[in-house]
Amino acid sequence: MRRLHILCEGQTEETVVREVIEPYLLCSDVYVTWSIFTTKRPAGGPSHRGGLSTWGKLASEIRLLLGDSSITVLTTMLDYYGLPTDVPGMATRPSSSPHDRVTHVERAMADTIGDPRFLPHLVLHELEAWVLLGHKALGELTGDDALAQSVQAMVVQAQGAELVNDGINTAPSKRLLRLYPQYRKTSDGPLVIAEIGIDAIRSACPHADAWFSAVNIVLKQEP
């Protein structure tokens, strides 16, 4: 039995992993587990979970998980948007396409950790990019056809959901909130993603597709 563990940035990512990604990847000889990034472990009190602050804390969590020999592959569900500036590769990103830039950071993260079981993944630019693909499902969820049309136009204009940029006011989640202030990240997002499905995401999001392909390749390798 081979085990894939996914380190999630927060509750929304955990829900998507549990309800959408885990069933998609599940097969007879692979099982999927997950956890939320722990931001703080106070002595004698409960751990605080969700949200990234520094590479040092993230690296410590990754190495702690890699100490579990039962994990075959450790990967991540972290947003590229808002990633701490001290993460390896962030300061040396090439001035090319967003896909090249995010891949550069992922490779730098892998090289810094230096464990072949670690396969970092950064959602380009954030998980709400996947929500933008589900404009029809979002419109049905909210009962707002105009919202669906606006979201669809946004993706077309950017030439792809993954290319909706990571500006502080123009990242996917910021745009969604402007169009629909009642948007609930932890519930609406996973519902829309579940409705459209992973195959649709892979077809429209090259970076996401590359991650799923890499996970499948590694998991199918002989131990």
Side-chain angles (χ1 to χ4, degrees):
M1 183 70 73
R2 299 171 71 75
R3 176 184 171 199
L4 170 70
H5 187 86
I6 305 177
L7 177 60
C8 303
E9 181 166 342
Q11 182 183 346
T12 305
E13 289 79 8
E14 181 192 39
T15 302
V16 171
V17 167
R18 182 181 68 247
E19 298 184 0
V20 186
I21 294 178
E22 193 267 351
Y24 179 82
L25 293 176
L26 189 64
C27 64
S28 59
D29 60 346
V30 172
Y31 71 104
V32 180
T33 57
W34 53 86
S35 60
I36 297 178
F37 172 64
T38 302
T39 55
K40 187 178 181 181
R41 289 188 175 86
S47 297
H48 301 283
R49 301 191 302 167
L52 302 180
S53 55
T54 67
W55 166 247
K57 291 180 180 179
L58 177 58
S60 294
E61 186 90 357
I62 291 167
R63 292 190 172 102
L64 182 65
L65 287 167
L66 288 170
D68 184 345
S69 60
S70 71
I71 293 177
T72 306
V73 180
L74 171 64
T75 189
T76 59
M77 277 282 290
L78 310 173
D79 288 341
Y80 177 58
Y81 168 67
L83 202 64
T85 57
D86 64 342
V87 169
M90 286 291 285
T92 57
R93 287 173 291 176
S95 56
S96 52
S97 74
H99 294 99
D100 290 341
R101 289 164 65 82
V102 71
T103 300
H104 171 83
V105 176
E106 289 172 339
R107 287 173 179 163
M109 290 170 63
D111 290 344
T112 300
I113 295 298
D115 189 311
R117 294 179 297 149
F118 180 49
L119 180 66
H121 168 240
L122 304 172
V123 181
L124 185 63
H125 284 94
E126 58 179 338
L127 196 61
E128 275 71 25
W130 297 6
V131 178
L132 296 182
L133 286 175
H135 55 88
K136 183 177 179 181
L138 187 61
E140 292 173 351
L141 177 67
T142 60
D144 189 340
D145 288 339
L147 171 63
Q149 294 172 10
S150 295
V151 170
Q152 182 181 25
M154 183 192 310
V155 173
V156 170
Q157 183 178 21
Q159 299 184 338
E162 287 185 327
L163 299 180
V164 175
N165 68 29
D166 59 346
I168 191 169
N169 296 313
T170 54
S173 61
K174 307 297 184 183
R175 295 176 189 246
L176 277 172
L177 283 169
R178 274 202 306 276
L179 290 170
Y180 181 59
Q182 297 81 21
Y183 176 74
R184 296 168 296 177
K185 178 182 178 73
T186 57
S187 56
D188 294 343
L191 283 172
V192 171
I193 290 171
E195 180 66 25
I196 61 177
I198 296 299
D199 285 334
I201 291 169
R202 294 188 66 174
S203 295
C205 298
H207 189 68
D209 180 56
W211 175 54
F212 281 104
S213 296
V215 166
N216 282 323
I217 289 170
V218 174
L219 288 174
K220 289 176 181 178
Q221 290 176 351
E222 291 297 325

